[in-house]
Amino acid sequence: MSFGLPQNVPDFASTARSVEDYMWSGSGNTSRHNSRRGNSSGLPLYKDKPITNQPGGRSKWIVFGIVFGLTLFGLYKYTSADESSEPRKLWFGGSSKQLSAKARQGLIKEAFLESWNGYEKYGMGLDIYAPVSKTGRNMAPEGMGWIVVDCLDTMMIMGLDEEVKRAKNWIMSNLTYDQDYEVNTFETTIRMLGGLLSAHYLSNYDDAYLEKAVDLANRLLPAFDSSSGVPYASVNLKTATGVQSHDDMGASSTAEVASLQLEFKYVSKLTGEALYWEKAEKVMEVIDRDMPDNTLVPIFINPETGKFQGRNIRLGSRGDSYYEYLLKQFLQTGNRELVYRQMYDDAMTAVKKNLVQKSKPNGFTFVGEFDSGPEGPVSPKMDHLVCFLPGNLALGATDGYPLHIAQRSSWTVTQASDMKLAKELMKTCYEMYKVTKTGIAPEIAYFNTADGSTEDMNIKWQDSHNLQRPETVESLFVMWRITKDPIYRQWGWEIFEAFRKYSRLEDGTGYTSLESVNEIPPRLRDNMESFWLAETLKYLYLLFEEDDSVLPLEKVVFNTEAHPFPKFNMDPLFKTGWKRSKPAPTRKKL
């Protein structure tokens, strides 16, 4: 594998690092993959020929047999000599169960290349791509680079140097954020700003990416110009105007306002400008000030008042990454900002007390929702989005270190409880795939909790679609890195094979979302989300990475769009600018 951590990594702890003092003015060899599975007969690369009774036929067949035998022997030696060629065995009838981790990585890279090459050929630069009809369109008038920027670091990790070169050329030649267009503050931050920052990091700090990132960050800053400091749902990139949501009575979603912090804090670290940091952390102070006593927050917040709206509480859509970033803010700055550790621990305690449930008859652990606040019943609905939680719990229990190392150092009751819950939820998320006809998970599942139930979960037809989401394989990657339990690789491979069987286009030009995971053959949705390339395939690829020094979890933190940033020291320029009234958490040791 050609990828590793960036060489000559700047010392973030050094007060002399020149880039920290740089003040921004405010302005802004892999060839195209060819499918080897176009053979509709299902035969390998050769075809059987019938035996004939022509004169000399026997002698010809003797010669043919000798040549054929030598050919097969040569192929055997070739594939045996190079483990990276193991995918070829599949074309000759081999079983994927026999493949090494390296060979499985090769097939995952192949899936990425099929998806990327189809997009590059038929829709390069377009923000929205339909792989079945091979059409697409832009969101902004001149495009946002939605797919190109989002998957750039995946190509870097996979060592796709030529593809990276072409993608960078497109970004530098075609991409501008000087457009009179309203963008979603959250999605643009995690995908575009996060993608550019990660590309800067993984490219050994190529400043071309940083210049684009800072230009975009400056255009996003006006979203924070509300009365409370809670960002508006949208922002106009050209007029520098924050825009309240046109729905939900003007409220922003909690996950969206509280999942900008990793990106903006990292911009501050790279530029030395405190403004980005201060804007992002102010949001957390406002949330904590108005937080309910049970520390589980509603999924809407008003940007003008800073008050929560509604009673719906969940760890699925509009709530998920708020809880994710509580922990990851703590990890990003070297475990220094204890205020976020406390908020995270309090939240997980409340989740375990209020929302964790068991299904019947098999007792799968799941996380439900409050439709009408903590006083009401728990809904047994669980989004696939909630499957980020097993990995997050494992990160929280170990700070990203291998489990056997973390357990040597002050292992506590809370850590043990979080790790146990992580394993149970990981099993449930896997079962959300196994319960369907295709082996691919639905968008939402409902769990049965009544006595006499014969099935643990139900899937409603309107929730049976699949968007190629990454959350389960994200958690599988984290669980594998931390525990080294091979079951997580096994589950991840089963999921990938299901995608390859049912969402891969027959012409080998890409993968698509599905209308229903309970129909065979499934109806194709004709849409490829950018996170298929940016997250799902990246996490699957890293799941089978044998070298744990590649993006080690104790040294990097992944944003909620799977863009890795290095952990860093806040000193000397930055500090946590607010305090909670509650003391920092203490953990009871086992």
Side-chain angles (χ1 to χ4, degrees):
M1 180 176 180
S2 62
F3 175 79
L5 281 178
Q7 300 300 309
N8 304 314
V9 177
D11 180 6
F12 278 125
S14 173
T15 58
R17 183 170 175 236
S18 60
V19 73
E20 300 236 285
D21 300 322
Y22 185 78
M23 308 300 282
W24 291 84
S25 64
S27 63
N29 234 318
T30 302
S31 62
R32 187 178 292 272
H33 176 72
N34 295 313
S35 173
R36 298 178 177 86
R37 285 183 284 179
N39 180 355
S40 62
S41 69
L43 296 174
L45 296 182
Y46 57 88
K47 291 185 179 181
D48 291 332
K49 292 182 174 62
I51 297 176
T52 67
N53 293 319
Q54 296 175 354
R58 183 180 179 188
S59 61
K60 289 180 180 179
W61 278 105
I62 291 173
V63 173
F64 175 80
I66 293 172
V67 173
F68 180 67
L70 289 172
T71 301
L72 285 180
F73 178 75
L75 283 169
Y76 170 77
K77 295 294 289 182
Y78 176 60
T79 56
S80 298
D82 181 8
E83 192 177 49
S84 66
S85 67
E86 282 192 58
R88 295 184 182 88
K89 297 176 183 177
L90 289 179
W91 308 332
F92 289 85
S95 170
S96 66
K97 294 181 180 179
Q98 300 170 356
L99 293 177
S100 68
K102 185 176 182 180
R104 292 180 179 188
Q105 265 197 327
L107 286 171
I108 294 163
K109 182 191 288 188
E110 177 183 297
F112 178 91
L113 280 169
E114 287 183 341
S115 302
W116 170 258
N117 288 343
Y119 168 73
E120 188 176 24
K121 181 176 181 179
Y122 299 107
M124 181 62 178
L126 297 178
D127 298 328
I128 298 171
Y129 179 59
V132 179
S133 59
K134 297 173 176 54
T135 60
R137 61 184 175 86
N138 282 325
M139 296 182 291
E142 298 179 55
M144 293 286 294
W146 208 250
I147 294 175
V148 181
V149 173
D150 210 10
C151 74
L152 186 60
D153 59 359
T154 305
M155 291 189 277
M156 292 178 174
I157 291 167
M158 290 183 175
L160 301 175
D161 297 340
E162 291 302 314
E163 285 76 8
V164 170
K165 186 184 298 182
R166 293 197 300 272
K168 180 184 178 183
N169 286 341
W170 184 91
I171 291 170
M172 299 307 160
S173 301
N174 297 279
L175 182 59
T176 177
Y177 291 117
D178 186 22
Q179 301 185 57
D180 188 5
Y181 183 74
E182 292 179 12
V183 300
N184 180 277
T185 305
F186 164 73
E187 296 287 359
T188 305
T189 297
I190 65 168
R191 301 193 199 208
M192 299 300 94
L193 182 58
L196 291 166
L197 291 171
S198 181
H200 172 252
Y201 169 51
L202 298 183
S203 64
N204 206 18
Y205 300 91
D206 184 336
D207 282 341
Y209 295 120
L210 183 58
E211 289 175 12
K212 286 280 187 184
V214 175
D215 173 58
L216 178 57
N218 289 335
R219 295 175 186 277
L220 292 170
L221 276 178
F224 294 87
D225 292 342
S226 67
S227 300
S228 69
V230 171
Y232 295 113
S234 301
V235 60
N236 187 297
L237 294 177
K238 189 175 186 69
T239 65
T241 306
V243 182
Q244 278 190 272
S245 173
H246 302 295
D247 301 310
D248 308 312
M249 296 183 291
S252 300
S253 78
T254 304
E256 293 186 355
V257 304
S259 304
L260 312 170
Q261 286 65 31
L262 297 185
E263 296 80 5
F264 277 92
K265 285 184 173 181
Y266 190 36
V267 171
S268 276
K269 186 64 183 177
L270 290 170
T271 64
E273 288 278 14
L275 178 63
Y276 309 103
W277 183 295
E278 293 166 355
K279 292 282 189 179
E281 75 168 4
K282 175 65 175 178
V283 181
M284 306 309 300
E285 180 181 12
V286 174
I287 286 176
D288 185 68
R289 185 178 63 212
D290 195 48
M291 182 180 293
D293 291 339
N294 68 359
T295 70
L296 296 175
V297 297
I299 61 173
F300 290 108
I301 186 169
N302 188 297
E304 296 298 353
T305 66
K307 302 293 184 180
F308 288 105
Q309 285 184 194
R311 304 284 291 164
N312 191 295
I313 294 173
R314 62 181 181 232
L315 273 71
S317 62
R318 300 184 179 273
D320 50 356
S321 52
Y322 159 69
Y323 300 95
E324 177 186 357
Y325 270 38
L326 289 180
L327 173 66
K328 289 184 175 180
Q329 286 181 82
F330 170 73
L331 297 176
Q332 182 184 36
T333 51
N335 298 14
R336 292 277 301 279
E337 297 183 276
L338 292 177
V339 61
Y340 301 119
R341 176 86 242 188
Q342 181 185 4
M343 292 176 72
Y344 171 77
D345 284 341
D346 287 350
M348 291 304 102
T349 298
V351 167
K352 286 184 281 189
K353 179 180 178 180
N354 296 285
L355 296 178
V356 171
Q357 306 277 304
K358 294 282 188 180
S359 70
K360 293 182 180 178
N362 292 307
F364 295 142
T365 301
F366 68 95
V367 177
E369 303 179 357
F370 283 131
D371 289 334
S372 54
E375 298 79 14
V378 176
S379 166
K381 169 179 172 284
M382 181 168 141
D383 294 357
H384 182 273
L385 289 164
V386 180
C387 288
F388 84 93
L389 190 56
N392 219 62
L393 285 163
L395 281 176
T398 65
D399 290 345
Y401 287 91
L403 183 60
H404 69 278
I405 293 177
Q407 287 176 328
R408 291 186 206 147
S409 177
S410 303
W411 192 244
T412 68
V413 172
T414 299
Q415 288 168 289
S417 172
D418 285 358
M419 200 67 216
K420 178 176 181 292
L421 179 58
K423 293 177 179 180
E424 292 174 357
L425 286 172
M426 192 74 265
K427 169 68 172 173
T428 300
C429 290
Y430 166 71
E431 292 294 337
M432 288 174 69
Y433 285 77
K434 299 305 292 181
V435 75
T436 69
K437 292 180 180 179
T438 59
I440 299 175
E443 181 74 358
I444 298 170
Y446 287 81
F447 288 82
N448 293 318
T449 58
D451 292 332
S453 299
T454 58
E455 301 289 341
D456 286 87
M457 64 185 88
N458 296 319
I459 300 169
K460 299 180 179 180
W461 71 265
Q462 66 267 30
D463 303 324
S464 65
H465 55 283
N466 178 275
L467 302 179
Q468 306 167 297
R469 287 199 186 277
E471 288 75 25
T472 293
V473 295
E474 171 188 1
S475 284
L476 288 171
F477 159 65
V478 174
M479 294 294 286
W480 160 254
R481 278 286 180 92
I482 288 174
T483 70
K484 292 299 182 182
D485 188 335
I487 193 63
Y488 300 125
R489 277 184 162 178
Q490 177 184 323
W491 291 349
W493 186 247
E494 290 175 19
I495 290 169
F496 173 69
E497 286 196 309
F499 276 124
R500 192 168 61 158
K501 183 175 182 179
Y502 291 111
S503 72
R504 180 181 182 270
L505 302 183
E506 291 183 359
D507 64 1
T509 60
Y511 286 66
T512 184
S513 301
L514 303 178
E515 290 289 357
S516 175
V517 295
N518 272 331
E519 296 178 8
I520 295 180
R523 286 174 292 128
L524 305 183
R525 197 163 191 158
D526 199 13
N527 181 60
M528 183 190 74
E529 296 283 351
S530 69
F531 50 67
W532 166 247
L533 301 175
E535 299 187 76
T536 306
L537 290 175
K538 179 188 293 169
Y539 281 128
L540 281 167
Y541 186 85
L542 290 173
L543 175 62
F544 293 100
E545 174 55 55
E546 295 284 45
D547 184 357
D548 286 354
S549 69
V550 173
L551 299 175
L553 296 178
E554 65 270 26
K555 293 183 179 180
V556 303
V557 59
F558 288 83
N559 86 337
T560 196
E561 189 72 9
H563 297 307
F565 306 148
K567 296 181 181 180
F568 59 79
N569 192 325
M570 296 188 294
D571 297 332
L573 299 178
F574 305 106
K575 63 182 180 180
T576 307
W578 66 284
K579 295 181 180 179
R580 279 188 114 188
S581 57
K582 300 177 182 179
T586 57
R587 292 176 166 184
K588 180 180 178 182
K589 295 181 181 180
L590 286 175

PDB file of all heavy atoms in Angstrom, residues 46-71:
ATOM      1  N   TYR A  46     -11.838 -17.909 -20.360  1.00  0.00           N
ATOM      2  CA  TYR A  46     -11.829 -18.764 -21.533  1.00  0.00           C
ATOM      3  C   TYR A  46     -13.193 -19.414 -21.665  1.00  0.00           C
ATOM      4  O   TYR A  46     -13.983 -19.407 -20.725  1.00  0.00           O
ATOM      5  CB  TYR A  46     -10.751 -19.854 -21.402  1.00  0.00           C
ATOM      6  CG  TYR A  46     -10.915 -20.698 -20.152  1.00  0.00           C
ATOM      7  CD1 TYR A  46     -11.716 -21.827 -20.150  1.00  0.00           C
ATOM      8  CD2 TYR A  46     -10.290 -20.327 -18.961  1.00  0.00           C
ATOM      9  CE1 TYR A  46     -11.880 -22.567 -18.997  1.00  0.00           C
ATOM     10  CE2 TYR A  46     -10.449 -21.070 -17.817  1.00  0.00           C
ATOM     11  CZ  TYR A  46     -11.253 -22.199 -17.835  1.00  0.00           C
ATOM     12  OH  TYR A  46     -11.432 -22.933 -16.703  1.00  0.00           O
ATOM     13  N   LYS A  47     -13.492 -20.019 -22.823  1.00  0.00           N
ATOM     14  CA  LYS A  47     -14.749 -20.729 -23.019  1.00  0.00           C
ATOM     15  C   LYS A  47     -14.464 -22.184 -23.366  1.00  0.00           C
ATOM     16  O   LYS A  47     -13.526 -22.487 -24.099  1.00  0.00           O
ATOM     17  CB  LYS A  47     -15.570 -20.080 -24.142  1.00  0.00           C
ATOM     18  CG  LYS A  47     -16.121 -18.710 -23.791  1.00  0.00           C
ATOM     19  CD  LYS A  47     -17.015 -18.199 -24.911  1.00  0.00           C
ATOM     20  CE  LYS A  47     -17.602 -16.838 -24.547  1.00  0.00           C
ATOM     21  NZ  LYS A  47     -18.489 -16.325 -25.611  1.00  0.00           N
ATOM     22  N   ASP A  48     -15.285 -23.099 -22.850  1.00  0.00           N
ATOM     23  CA  ASP A  48     -15.149 -24.509 -23.209  1.00  0.00           C
ATOM     24  C   ASP A  48     -15.446 -24.690 -24.692  1.00  0.00           C
ATOM     25  O   ASP A  48     -16.342 -24.054 -25.237  1.00  0.00           O
ATOM     26  CB  ASP A  48     -16.107 -25.360 -22.388  1.00  0.00           C
ATOM     27  CG  ASP A  48     -15.700 -25.397 -20.930  1.00  0.00           C
ATOM     28  OD1 ASP A  48     -14.506 -25.264 -20.650  1.00  0.00           O
ATOM     29  OD2 ASP A  48     -16.588 -25.554 -20.087  1.00  0.00           O
ATOM     30  N   LYS A  49     -14.688 -25.551 -25.343  1.00  0.00           N
ATOM     31  CA  LYS A  49     -14.926 -25.867 -26.751  1.00  0.00           C
ATOM     32  C   LYS A  49     -15.397 -27.318 -26.859  1.00  0.00           C
ATOM     33  O   LYS A  49     -14.882 -28.193 -26.166  1.00  0.00           O
ATOM     34  CB  LYS A  49     -13.653 -25.655 -27.561  1.00  0.00           C
ATOM     35  CG  LYS A  49     -13.231 -24.202 -27.660  1.00  0.00           C
ATOM     36  CD  LYS A  49     -12.008 -24.056 -28.510  1.00  0.00           C
ATOM     37  CE  LYS A  49     -11.650 -22.597 -28.739  1.00  0.00           C
ATOM     38  NZ  LYS A  49     -11.331 -21.898 -27.515  1.00  0.00           N
ATOM     39  N   PRO A  50     -16.380 -27.590 -27.719  1.00  0.00           N
ATOM     40  CA  PRO A  50     -16.876 -28.966 -27.840  1.00  0.00           C
ATOM     41  C   PRO A  50     -15.850 -29.888 -28.492  1.00  0.00           C
ATOM     42  O   PRO A  50     -15.050 -29.461 -29.318  1.00  0.00           O
ATOM     43  CB  PRO A  50     -18.111 -28.812 -28.740  1.00  0.00           C
ATOM     44  CG  PRO A  50     -17.831 -27.588 -29.545  1.00  0.00           C
ATOM     45  CD  PRO A  50     -17.065 -26.687 -28.635  1.00  0.00           C
ATOM     46  N   ILE A  51     -15.878 -31.165 -28.109  1.00  0.00           N
ATOM     47  CA  ILE A  51     -15.011 -32.163 -28.721  1.00  0.00           C
ATOM     48  C   ILE A  51     -15.538 -32.487 -30.115  1.00  0.00           C
ATOM     49  O   ILE A  51     -16.731 -32.690 -30.306  1.00  0.00           O
ATOM     50  CB  ILE A  51     -14.967 -33.452 -27.870  1.00  0.00           C
ATOM     51  CG1 ILE A  51     -14.350 -33.133 -26.499  1.00  0.00           C
ATOM     52  CG2 ILE A  51     -14.170 -34.543 -28.562  1.00  0.00           C
ATOM     53  CD1 ILE A  51     -14.344 -34.311 -25.567  1.00  0.00           C
ATOM     54  N   THR A  52     -14.652 -32.519 -31.100  1.00  0.00           N
ATOM     55  CA  THR A  52     -15.063 -32.786 -32.469  1.00  0.00           C
ATOM     56  C   THR A  52     -14.491 -34.118 -32.941  1.00  0.00           C
ATOM     57  O   THR A  52     -13.560 -34.658 -32.342  1.00  0.00           O
ATOM     58  CB  THR A  52     -14.576 -31.686 -33.410  1.00  0.00           C
ATOM     59  OG1 THR A  52     -13.160 -31.734 -33.477  1.00  0.00           O
ATOM     60  CG2 THR A  52     -15.021 -30.319 -32.945  1.00  0.00           C
ATOM     61  N   ASN A  53     -15.041 -34.671 -34.035  1.00  0.00           N
ATOM     62  CA  ASN A  53     -14.560 -35.916 -34.634  1.00  0.00           C
ATOM     63  C   ASN A  53     -13.815 -35.662 -35.921  1.00  0.00           C
ATOM     64  O   ASN A  53     -13.711 -36.524 -36.778  1.00  0.00           O
ATOM     65  CB  ASN A  53     -15.743 -36.855 -34.918  1.00  0.00           C
ATOM     66  CG  ASN A  53     -16.375 -37.326 -33.636  1.00  0.00           C
ATOM     67  OD1 ASN A  53     -15.664 -37.638 -32.693  1.00  0.00           O
ATOM     68  ND2 ASN A  53     -17.704 -37.365 -33.609  1.00  0.00           N
ATOM     69  N   GLN A  54     -13.265 -34.452 -36.094  1.00  0.00           N
ATOM     70  CA  GLN A  54     -12.524 -34.132 -37.292  1.00  0.00           C
ATOM     71  C   GLN A  54     -11.209 -34.905 -37.317  1.00  0.00           C
ATOM     72  O   GLN A  54     -10.690 -35.304 -36.275  1.00  0.00           O
ATOM     73  CB  GLN A  54     -12.229 -32.623 -37.352  1.00  0.00           C
ATOM     74  CG  GLN A  54     -13.494 -31.774 -37.455  1.00  0.00           C
ATOM     75  CD  GLN A  54     -13.176 -30.302 -37.384  1.00  0.00           C
ATOM     76  OE1 GLN A  54     -12.048 -29.936 -37.153  1.00  0.00           O
ATOM     77  NE2 GLN A  54     -14.185 -29.473 -37.589  1.00  0.00           N
ATOM     78  N   PRO A  55     -10.677 -35.147 -38.537  1.00  0.00           N
ATOM     79  CA  PRO A  55      -9.392 -35.838 -38.629  1.00  0.00           C
ATOM     80  C   PRO A  55      -8.329 -35.115 -37.807  1.00  0.00           C
ATOM     81  O   PRO A  55      -8.219 -33.891 -37.818  1.00  0.00           O
ATOM     82  CB  PRO A  55      -9.066 -35.771 -40.137  1.00  0.00           C
ATOM     83  CG  PRO A  55     -10.396 -35.628 -40.794  1.00  0.00           C
ATOM     84  CD  PRO A  55     -11.236 -34.833 -39.868  1.00  0.00           C
ATOM     85  N   GLY A  56      -7.551 -35.940 -37.118  1.00  0.00           N
ATOM     86  CA  GLY A  56      -6.494 -35.348 -36.291  1.00  0.00           C
ATOM     87  C   GLY A  56      -7.016 -34.731 -35.012  1.00  0.00           C
ATOM     88  O   GLY A  56      -6.272 -34.111 -34.277  1.00  0.00           O
ATOM     89  N   GLY A  57      -8.293 -34.914 -34.739  1.00  0.00           N
ATOM     90  CA  GLY A  57      -8.874 -34.267 -33.565  1.00  0.00           C
ATOM     91  C   GLY A  57      -8.214 -34.698 -32.270  1.00  0.00           C
ATOM     92  O   GLY A  57      -7.975 -33.907 -31.381  1.00  0.00           O
ATOM     93  N   ARG A  58      -7.885 -36.011 -32.170  1.00  0.00           N
ATOM     94  CA  ARG A  58      -7.322 -36.505 -30.913  1.00  0.00           C
ATOM     95  C   ARG A  58      -5.965 -35.875 -30.628  1.00  0.00           C
ATOM     96  O   ARG A  58      -5.683 -35.459 -29.517  1.00  0.00           O
ATOM     97  CB  ARG A  58      -7.194 -38.022 -30.983  1.00  0.00           C
ATOM     98  CG  ARG A  58      -6.678 -38.624 -29.695  1.00  0.00           C
ATOM     99  CD  ARG A  58      -6.561 -40.130 -29.782  1.00  0.00           C
ATOM    100  NE  ARG A  58      -6.047 -40.663 -28.551  1.00  0.00           N
ATOM    101  CZ  ARG A  58      -5.698 -41.940 -28.386  1.00  0.00           C
ATOM    102  NH1 ARG A  58      -5.844 -42.797 -29.375  1.00  0.00           N
ATOM    103  NH2 ARG A  58      -5.246 -42.363 -27.225  1.00  0.00           N
ATOM    104  N   SER A  59      -5.110 -35.844 -31.688  1.00  0.00           N
ATOM    105  CA  SER A  59      -3.781 -35.268 -31.474  1.00  0.00           C
ATOM    106  C   SER A  59      -3.863 -33.796 -31.129  1.00  0.00           C
ATOM    107  O   SER A  59      -3.100 -33.265 -30.319  1.00  0.00           O
ATOM    108  CB  SER A  59      -2.915 -35.468 -32.720  1.00  0.00           C
ATOM    109  OG  SER A  59      -3.505 -34.815 -33.835  1.00  0.00           O
ATOM    110  N   LYS A  60      -4.833 -33.128 -31.784  1.00  0.00           N
ATOM    111  CA  LYS A  60      -5.010 -31.705 -31.461  1.00  0.00           C
ATOM    112  C   LYS A  60      -5.396 -31.529 -30.000  1.00  0.00           C
ATOM    113  O   LYS A  60      -4.932 -30.609 -29.321  1.00  0.00           O
ATOM    114  CB  LYS A  60      -6.077 -31.099 -32.360  1.00  0.00           C
ATOM    115  CG  LYS A  60      -5.644 -30.942 -33.807  1.00  0.00           C
ATOM    116  CD  LYS A  60      -6.755 -30.344 -34.632  1.00  0.00           C
ATOM    117  CE  LYS A  60      -6.334 -30.188 -36.097  1.00  0.00           C
ATOM    118  NZ  LYS A  60      -7.437 -29.629 -36.918  1.00  0.00           N
ATOM    119  N   TRP A  61      -6.264 -32.421 -29.516  1.00  0.00           N
ATOM    120  CA  TRP A  61      -6.710 -32.286 -28.124  1.00  0.00           C
ATOM    121  C   TRP A  61      -5.609 -32.633 -27.128  1.00  0.00           C
ATOM    122  O   TRP A  61      -5.550 -32.096 -26.043  1.00  0.00           O
ATOM    123  CB  TRP A  61      -7.943 -33.142 -27.880  1.00  0.00           C
ATOM    124  CG  TRP A  61      -9.164 -32.433 -28.341  1.00  0.00           C
ATOM    125  CD1 TRP A  61      -9.897 -32.671 -29.453  1.00  0.00           C
ATOM    126  CD2 TRP A  61      -9.770 -31.305 -27.708  1.00  0.00           C
ATOM    127  NE1 TRP A  61     -10.922 -31.786 -29.575  1.00  0.00           N
ATOM    128  CE2 TRP A  61     -10.877 -30.930 -28.511  1.00  0.00           C
ATOM    129  CE3 TRP A  61      -9.489 -30.567 -26.555  1.00  0.00           C
ATOM    130  CZ2 TRP A  61     -11.701 -29.857 -28.194  1.00  0.00           C
ATOM    131  CZ3 TRP A  61     -10.315 -29.509 -26.237  1.00  0.00           C
ATOM    132  CH2 TRP A  61     -11.401 -29.159 -27.055  1.00  0.00           C
ATOM    133  N   ILE A  62      -4.700 -33.547 -27.560  1.00  0.00           N
ATOM    134  CA  ILE A  62      -3.565 -33.845 -26.681  1.00  0.00           C
ATOM    135  C   ILE A  62      -2.688 -32.600 -26.535  1.00  0.00           C
ATOM    136  O   ILE A  62      -2.281 -32.208 -25.439  1.00  0.00           O
ATOM    137  CB  ILE A  62      -2.745 -35.023 -27.245  1.00  0.00           C
ATOM    138  CG1 ILE A  62      -3.553 -36.320 -27.137  1.00  0.00           C
ATOM    139  CG2 ILE A  62      -1.415 -35.160 -26.488  1.00  0.00           C
ATOM    140  CD1 ILE A  62      -2.904 -37.508 -27.826  1.00  0.00           C
ATOM    141  N   VAL A  63      -2.398 -31.972 -27.702  1.00  0.00           N
ATOM    142  CA  VAL A  63      -1.599 -30.745 -27.667  1.00  0.00           C
ATOM    143  C   VAL A  63      -2.311 -29.662 -26.861  1.00  0.00           C
ATOM    144  O   VAL A  63      -1.716 -28.964 -26.031  1.00  0.00           O
ATOM    145  CB  VAL A  63      -1.329 -30.255 -29.109  1.00  0.00           C
ATOM    146  CG1 VAL A  63      -0.641 -28.890 -29.072  1.00  0.00           C
ATOM    147  CG2 VAL A  63      -0.486 -31.259 -29.861  1.00  0.00           C
ATOM    148  N   PHE A  64      -3.636 -29.527 -27.129  1.00  0.00           N
ATOM    149  CA  PHE A  64      -4.412 -28.531 -26.389  1.00  0.00           C
ATOM    150  C   PHE A  64      -4.352 -28.775 -24.892  1.00  0.00           C
ATOM    151  O   PHE A  64      -4.205 -27.853 -24.086  1.00  0.00           O
ATOM    152  CB  PHE A  64      -5.859 -28.546 -26.871  1.00  0.00           C
ATOM    153  CG  PHE A  64      -6.758 -27.636 -26.088  1.00  0.00           C
ATOM    154  CD1 PHE A  64      -6.778 -26.267 -26.337  1.00  0.00           C
ATOM    155  CD2 PHE A  64      -7.550 -28.145 -25.063  1.00  0.00           C
ATOM    156  CE1 PHE A  64      -7.593 -25.439 -25.600  1.00  0.00           C
ATOM    157  CE2 PHE A  64      -8.366 -27.320 -24.333  1.00  0.00           C
ATOM    158  CZ  PHE A  64      -8.396 -25.961 -24.600  1.00  0.00           C
ATOM    159  N   GLY A  65      -4.470 -30.059 -24.509  1.00  0.00           N
ATOM    160  CA  GLY A  65      -4.452 -30.383 -23.081  1.00  0.00           C
ATOM    161  C   GLY A  65      -3.142 -30.016 -22.427  1.00  0.00           C
ATOM    162  O   GLY A  65      -3.101 -29.507 -21.307  1.00  0.00           O
ATOM    163  N   ILE A  66      -2.026 -30.285 -23.170  1.00  0.00           N
ATOM    164  CA  ILE A  66      -0.716 -29.937 -22.613  1.00  0.00           C
ATOM    165  C   ILE A  66      -0.596 -28.424 -22.438  1.00  0.00           C
ATOM    166  O   ILE A  66      -0.181 -27.924 -21.392  1.00  0.00           O
ATOM    167  CB  ILE A  66       0.404 -30.472 -23.528  1.00  0.00           C
ATOM    168  CG1 ILE A  66       0.411 -32.013 -23.505  1.00  0.00           C
ATOM    169  CG2 ILE A  66       1.763 -29.928 -23.077  1.00  0.00           C
ATOM    170  CD1 ILE A  66       1.340 -32.623 -24.526  1.00  0.00           C
ATOM    171  N   VAL A  67      -0.967 -27.698 -23.511  1.00  0.00           N
ATOM    172  CA  VAL A  67      -0.873 -26.236 -23.448  1.00  0.00           C
ATOM    173  C   VAL A  67      -1.773 -25.670 -22.358  1.00  0.00           C
ATOM    174  O   VAL A  67      -1.387 -24.790 -21.586  1.00  0.00           O
ATOM    175  CB  VAL A  67      -1.246 -25.628 -24.813  1.00  0.00           C
ATOM    176  CG1 VAL A  67      -1.326 -24.110 -24.719  1.00  0.00           C
ATOM    177  CG2 VAL A  67      -0.226 -26.043 -25.867  1.00  0.00           C
ATOM    178  N   PHE A  68      -2.994 -26.209 -22.292  1.00  0.00           N
ATOM    179  CA  PHE A  68      -3.943 -25.727 -21.294  1.00  0.00           C
ATOM    180  C   PHE A  68      -3.450 -25.982 -19.876  1.00  0.00           C
ATOM    181  O   PHE A  68      -3.549 -25.135 -18.989  1.00  0.00           O
ATOM    182  CB  PHE A  68      -5.288 -26.397 -21.527  1.00  0.00           C
ATOM    183  CG  PHE A  68      -6.354 -25.968 -20.560  1.00  0.00           C
ATOM    184  CD1 PHE A  68      -6.837 -24.671 -20.578  1.00  0.00           C
ATOM    185  CD2 PHE A  68      -6.861 -26.853 -19.622  1.00  0.00           C
ATOM    186  CE1 PHE A  68      -7.800 -24.266 -19.679  1.00  0.00           C
ATOM    187  CE2 PHE A  68      -7.840 -26.452 -18.738  1.00  0.00           C
ATOM    188  CZ  PHE A  68      -8.309 -25.159 -18.766  1.00  0.00           C
ATOM    189  N   GLY A  69      -2.857 -27.192 -19.683  1.00  0.00           N
ATOM    190  CA  GLY A  69      -2.337 -27.518 -18.357  1.00  0.00           C
ATOM    191  C   GLY A  69      -1.212 -26.594 -17.956  1.00  0.00           C
ATOM    192  O   GLY A  69      -1.137 -26.126 -16.812  1.00  0.00           O
ATOM    193  N   LEU A  70      -0.298 -26.316 -18.919  1.00  0.00           N
ATOM    194  CA  LEU A  70       0.807 -25.404 -18.633  1.00  0.00           C
ATOM    195  C   LEU A  70       0.298 -23.999 -18.332  1.00  0.00           C
ATOM    196  O   LEU A  70       0.833 -23.291 -17.469  1.00  0.00           O
ATOM    197  CB  LEU A  70       1.775 -25.374 -19.815  1.00  0.00           C
ATOM    198  CG  LEU A  70       2.615 -26.650 -20.028  1.00  0.00           C
ATOM    199  CD1 LEU A  70       3.379 -26.560 -21.333  1.00  0.00           C
ATOM    200  CD2 LEU A  70       3.567 -26.869 -18.858  1.00  0.00           C
ATOM    201  N   THR A  71      -0.744 -23.600 -19.065  1.00  0.00           N
ATOM    202  CA  THR A  71      -1.324 -22.272 -18.837  1.00  0.00           C
ATOM    203  C   THR A  71      -1.892 -22.154 -17.435  1.00  0.00           C
ATOM    204  O   THR A  71      -1.648 -21.170 -16.721  1.00  0.00           O
ATOM    205  CB  THR A  71      -2.427 -21.979 -19.858  1.00  0.00           C
ATOM    206  OG1 THR A  71      -1.870 -22.047 -21.160  1.00  0.00           O
ATOM    207  CG2 THR A  71      -3.021 -20.595 -19.638  1.00  0.00           C
TER     208      THR A  71
END
